[in-house]
């Protein structure tokens, strides 16, 4: 079986059309071109993308976080619907948390739809804990959001955990013929 390379890198202005296509496929147009442009231009934002040279879809997944004081506020984690349940979300979340730690951030937080059990399971697998609830947070349907937190990104144990996740993620990706290129 031949593996397809999976490339993880920071997104740039050249990726803007692919970013908008993925946003539309995953969220139905959550953010505008101007919104993504601001993210790409901001030194406090990190926007990462997953690419595969063999895929007809240019951008397979993306994740974004804002650096606010010593916290990573994860604002987006999106995998193209054609590539769900192949480990790409885990790879992207891993990369966001590793980048957060590399930036010296202490904690990570995010909001997730209370009904999105697959996402909640993923975040819990990475150690996120529920810290609260934002009632009627989502404007499209008034759904509640869970507030999740992960602490201790700068502790030595967290680096060991990251290394363990990397090994586990690479094994899972290989089951779907993906090979994460470092």
């Amino acid at each position: 079986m031949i593996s397809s390379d999976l490339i993880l890198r920071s997104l740039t202005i050249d990726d803007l059309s692919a970013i908008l296509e993925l946003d539309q496929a995953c969220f139905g147009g959550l953010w505008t071109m101007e919104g993504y442009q601001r993210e790409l231009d901001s030194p406090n934002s990190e926007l990462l993308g997953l690419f595969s040279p063999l895929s007809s879809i240019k951008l397979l997944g993306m994740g974004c976080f804002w650096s606010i004081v010593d916290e990573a506020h994860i604002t987006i984690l999106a995998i193209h619907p054609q590539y769900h349940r192949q480990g790409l979300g885990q790879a992207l979340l891993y990369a966001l948390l590793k980048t957060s730690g590399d930036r010296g951030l202490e904690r990570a937080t995010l909001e997730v739809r209370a009904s999105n059990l697959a996402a909640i399971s993923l975040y819990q697998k990475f150690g996120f804990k529920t810290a609260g609830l934002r009632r009627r947070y989502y404007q499209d349907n008034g759904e509640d959001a869970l507030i999740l937190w992960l602490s201790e990104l700068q502790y030595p144990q967290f680096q060991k955990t990251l290394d363990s996740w990397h090994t586990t993620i690479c094994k899972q990706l290989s089951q779907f013929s993906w090979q994460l290129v470092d």
Side-chain angles (χ1 to χ4, degrees):
M1 182 161 38
I2 297 172
S3 291
S4 178
D5 287 349
L6 194 58
I7 300 161
L8 178 71
R9 66 168 172 80
S10 292
L11 294 169
T12 68
I13 194 69
D14 294 335
D15 300 311
L16 199 51
S17 64
I19 291 169
L20 290 170
E21 286 175 26
L22 183 61
D23 179 286
Q24 187 64 43
C26 294
F27 306 122
L30 179 66
W31 286 3
T32 63
M33 182 185 316
E34 294 77 19
Y36 283 109
Q37 179 71 52
R38 278 191 302 275
E39 296 305 312
L40 291 168
D41 291 342
S42 172
N44 295 322
S45 286
E46 187 71 45
L47 203 55
L48 301 175
L50 281 172
F51 298 85
S52 177
L54 300 180
S55 172
S56 61
I57 296 169
K58 183 168 171 25
L59 180 61
L60 306 184
M62 67 178 167
C64 180
F65 72 83
W66 299 335
S67 297
I68 302 176
V69 188
D70 62 352
E71 298 170 354
H73 289 249
I74 298 173
T75 57
I76 287 183
L77 183 66
I79 301 298
H80 193 283
Q82 289 184 17
Y83 293 96
H84 282 186
R85 300 210 172 281
Q86 296 183 26
L88 303 185
Q90 290 183 59
L92 199 49
L93 182 57
Y94 162 83
L96 289 170
L97 293 173
K98 180 166 184 353
T99 303
S100 298
D102 291 348
R103 276 193 173 204
L105 302 177
E106 301 278 340
R107 291 174 292 286
T109 186
L110 56 87
E111 287 95 5
V112 61
R113 287 181 187 269
S115 66
N116 192 344
L117 301 181
I120 293 166
S121 175
L122 170 66
Y123 299 134
Q124 288 173 340
K125 187 184 301 186
F126 276 77
F128 280 86
K129 304 284 186 228
T130 303
L133 181 76
R134 295 196 196 283
R135 297 217 177 271
R136 303 190 55 72
Y137 181 76
Y138 292 98
Q139 294 177 357
D140 62 342
N141 65 359
E143 185 175 353
D144 295 343
L146 297 178
I147 305 165
L148 304 181
W149 281 91
L150 176 65
S151 299
E152 304 176 349
L153 299 184
Q154 293 303 316
Y155 283 48
Q157 185 58 39
F158 185 72
Q159 186 59 51
K160 291 179 185 171
T161 301
L162 275 177
D163 293 343
S164 174
W165 286 339
H166 186 267
T167 301
T168 300
I169 290 165
C170 287
K171 284 180 186 174
Q172 182 174 0
L173 288 171
S174 71
Q175 294 174 6
F176 294 94
S177 300
W178 293 114
Q179 178 179 331
L180 194 57
V181 177
D182 293 326

